[in-house]
Amino acid sequence: MRFLYLLFIGLFVFGTSTAIRAQTPALPTIDHIYDPNVQTALLFPLVSANPSDPALTLNPPIISLDEPTVLQLEFDDLTADYRSFRARLIHCNADWQRSVLNDIEFTYEYNDMPITDYQVSINTKVQYYHYRFQVPRVKLPGNYLLVVYDERNRTNIILTRRFSTYQNRIGVSAAGRFSVDPARQFSDQQIDLAISYKGYQVISPQDDFKVVIRQNYRDDREIRGLKPTNVQAFDQTLQYNVADLSNTMPGGNEYRFFDTRTILSRANYIDRIERPADRNIAYVQVDQPRSQGPYIQSDDFNGLFVIDHRETGNGDVNADYIETVFTLRAPQLSGDVYVNGAFNFWQRNDRNRMTFDPATGTYRAAILLKQGVYNYDYALLANQTPPTVNETLIEGDFSGTENDYEVFVYHRPPAARADQLVAYQRLGVNKRK
């Protein structure tokens, strides 16, 4: 009887997993909010005893399976009505394409979880429900997509967020420097790295490892397809000191920022605040292009942001949503200009597209953002085929810019059916002391 019971449970879980997989066969495996009433979807590791610490969101959603740290998802529903949400996980390979694994191969529990932790906003003009959800532990290191959907309608996807788990089974050493190309030494940064796989089973090390380098936690700033330049079979070491500049990336500029943690007075880079009855409006100081001229050192969050409320210290439910107005004084460009940042997952769409006003010679955009401190820059989507994103034209590129880099090393072990993240390393370039 026990055997039949276990067989029934296994078939039930497998059947449910197959049904869920069939419902979302073409779901893009990207960070995205599909419901316009949902805002500020944060996913971060709980590395502090205080889950409401604003600085927690400055950590990327990447955790080690060898440590007890968990990931927490938070988001706001601006309908101001309670809605029932559920979450599930999708396993992905190194290229973020959905793997062939069944749920039971990477989860410890049933892969369909209710989101029951919520609070109502307090003393805000824009009312919302604030939801929290701790992502359950997984079995395998690798890439995952967290999917939140409406409990009443499984096909109504609310949002998706990427995260990764790793186990350091091999060694990675990485270092950043200026580009070796004389033409790029003042604009680009180069990441040299080496992999030591001593004691790790691999059949063809020069081909089997998939290396990804990411700048400032941005999925649109990645280097993929690197091949080792030197294979030391005796020492079981791979070196990636390439001469074709494939490990080189534009340095960019320090990110612009503004502070809306309070509306009682003007904080950093806020020109003025208006307070109509239904909402608050904050005008960010007028920006200018920075591509011409010298590099100016300043501190930033490397494109990220934090949610906070200065008066209460509880940004989760006391921070209001503010109509934030951006203004860029620049000549009209051939293409669309966007306010670019992690607040929009570095995506360019109608929400952050700017409109040019010939009368004032400025671009302007109004974006509803929760109170906090935000990093951002400006990007041009040029009118050409295919369309290309250009941040250099407005912001400039400088090799002296302080940036964070991550190195991901993926491998599919013998007889495994999916890629695993077997090494993860973070490093800073031009870090301030």
Side-chain angles (χ1 to χ4, degrees):
M1 291 295 294
R2 179 175 175 80
F3 172 77
L4 293 176
Y5 172 76
L6 293 176
L7 178 62
F8 171 77
I9 292 297
L11 291 174
F12 173 77
V13 171
F14 177 78
T16 305
S17 171
T18 304
I20 291 176
R21 178 184 293 269
Q23 288 170 353
T24 56
L27 180 66
T29 55
I30 61 173
D31 291 319
H32 194 71
I33 298 177
Y34 294 91
D35 189 323
N37 293 310
V38 170
Q39 298 281 350
T40 320
L42 303 170
L43 183 61
F44 53 89
L46 289 176
V47 294
S48 170
N50 178 16
S52 298
D53 183 358
L56 286 176
T57 59
L58 297 179
N59 298 288
I62 301 170
I63 58 173
S64 170
L65 290 184
D66 297 324
E67 299 176 0
T69 306
V70 298
L71 291 171
Q72 178 157 291
L73 172 73
E74 298 187 11
F75 61 92
D76 297 330
D77 182 4
L78 274 60
T79 63
D81 291 323
Y82 172 75
R83 290 196 287 172
S84 299
F85 299 114
R86 300 186 75 88
R88 62 177 177 267
L89 303 179
I90 294 175
H91 185 272
C92 300
N93 285 313
D95 58 0
W96 285 102
Q97 296 301 307
R98 190 169 185 168
S99 75
V100 298
L101 297 184
N102 295 312
D103 294 349
I104 198 171
E105 296 180 78
F106 61 85
T107 59
Y108 288 104
E109 54 191 82
Y110 183 51
N111 191 12
D112 188 9
M113 301 147 287
I115 300 177
T116 57
D117 186 358
Y118 66 91
Q119 294 175 283
V120 183
S121 61
I122 302 172
N123 296 327
T124 58
K125 291 183 178 180
V126 178
Q127 300 296 312
Y128 58 87
Y129 273 71
H130 180 76
Y131 290 84
R132 282 181 174 178
F133 173 72
Q134 285 195 7
V135 180
R137 303 283 292 183
V138 294
K139 296 178 181 178
L140 299 177
N143 293 340
Y144 294 87
L145 186 73
L146 175 62
V147 181
V148 176
Y149 63 94
D150 190 338
E151 185 176 58
R152 298 182 178 181
N153 181 5
R154 288 180 177 269
T155 62
N156 181 17
I157 305 300
I158 304 300
L159 64 91
T160 54
R161 285 301 313 263
R162 289 179 172 185
F163 71 92
S164 299
T165 61
Y166 67 92
Q167 285 183 310
N168 284 326
R169 299 171 180 169
I170 61 175
V172 174
S173 60
R177 59 172 175 165
F178 298 165
S179 173
V180 296
D181 183 358
R184 301 187 187 182
Q185 63 178 336
F186 296 111
S187 62
D188 289 14
Q189 296 172 344
Q190 179 172 312
I191 305 299
D192 296 326
L193 60 97
I195 293 176
S196 174
Y197 56 94
K198 291 181 180 180
Y200 183 80
Q201 183 181 5
V202 58
I203 298 175
S204 178
Q206 65 270 25
D207 299 317
D208 290 353
F209 290 118
K210 301 175 183 178
V211 178
V212 179
I213 300 175
R214 185 169 71 169
Q215 183 191 70
N216 292 334
Y217 320 110
R218 295 178 54 172
D219 291 333
D220 63 338
R221 287 287 185 98
E222 288 184 338
I223 296 174
R224 289 178 175 267
L226 285 178
K227 294 297 182 181
T229 55
N230 187 13
V231 180
Q232 300 175 354
F234 182 78
D235 295 328
Q236 294 184 306
T237 301
L238 303 176
Q239 293 183 339
Y240 294 78
N241 300 320
V242 298
D244 61 358
L245 306 179
S246 58
N247 61 340
T248 298
M249 190 176 296
N253 205 339
E254 306 296 349
Y255 289 93
R256 308 171 192 259
F257 80 96
F258 64 89
D259 185 351
T260 55
R261 288 175 293 176
T262 181
I263 60 165
L264 302 182
S265 61
R266 292 185 296 114
N268 288 332
Y269 295 97
I270 297 299
D271 182 65
R272 69 182 189 276
I273 298 175
E274 297 178 357
R275 305 174 182 85
D278 61 335
R279 69 194 189 285
N280 296 310
I281 306 173
Y283 292 83
V284 180
Q285 290 182 1
V286 177
D287 289 316
Q288 306 279 352
R290 301 184 296 171
S291 55
Q292 302 299 321
Y295 163 73
I296 299 177
Q297 177 178 317
S298 62
D299 294 328
D300 63 5
F301 294 152
N302 285 331
L304 303 178
F305 65 97
V306 297
I307 300 300
D308 198 8
H309 186 252
R310 178 169 292 175
E311 285 72 35
T312 65
N314 184 6
D316 291 347
V317 294
N318 288 109
D320 208 343
Y321 276 84
I322 297 179
E323 183 179 326
T324 309
V325 181
F326 298 84
T327 305
L328 172 66
R329 189 176 304 280
Q332 188 169 13
L333 303 173
S334 178
D336 292 324
V337 177
Y338 295 84
V339 184
N340 206 30
F343 65 86
N344 207 52
F345 303 131
W346 303 103
Q347 296 166 8
R348 289 151 294 276
N349 48 38
D350 291 340
R351 184 186 183 217
N352 60 338
R353 181 185 290 113
M354 307 188 79
T355 302
F356 184 73
D357 183 0
T360 60
T362 60
Y363 285 89
R364 176 170 289 199
I367 306 174
L368 192 66
L369 296 173
K370 198 173 185 179
Q371 285 182 267
V373 180
Y374 287 80
N375 277 188
Y376 70 101
D377 64 12
Y378 294 103
L380 171 69
L381 187 62
N383 286 336
Q384 60 186 57
T385 304
T388 57
V389 179
N390 186 341
E391 294 179 33
T392 304
L393 183 64
I394 300 175
E395 303 295 346
D397 283 315
F398 302 93
S399 57
T401 302
E402 183 273 319
N403 287 314
D404 285 328
Y405 287 89
E406 301 162 286
V407 178
F408 303 78
V409 181
Y410 297 89
H411 178 246
R412 183 171 299 189
R417 303 201 303 146
D419 298 332
Q420 298 182 15
L421 183 53
V422 297
Y424 172 73
Q425 180 74 33
R426 292 172 63 178
L427 71 149
V429 175
N430 300 323
K431 283 291 185 183
R432 320 292 186 221
K433 294 184 178 179

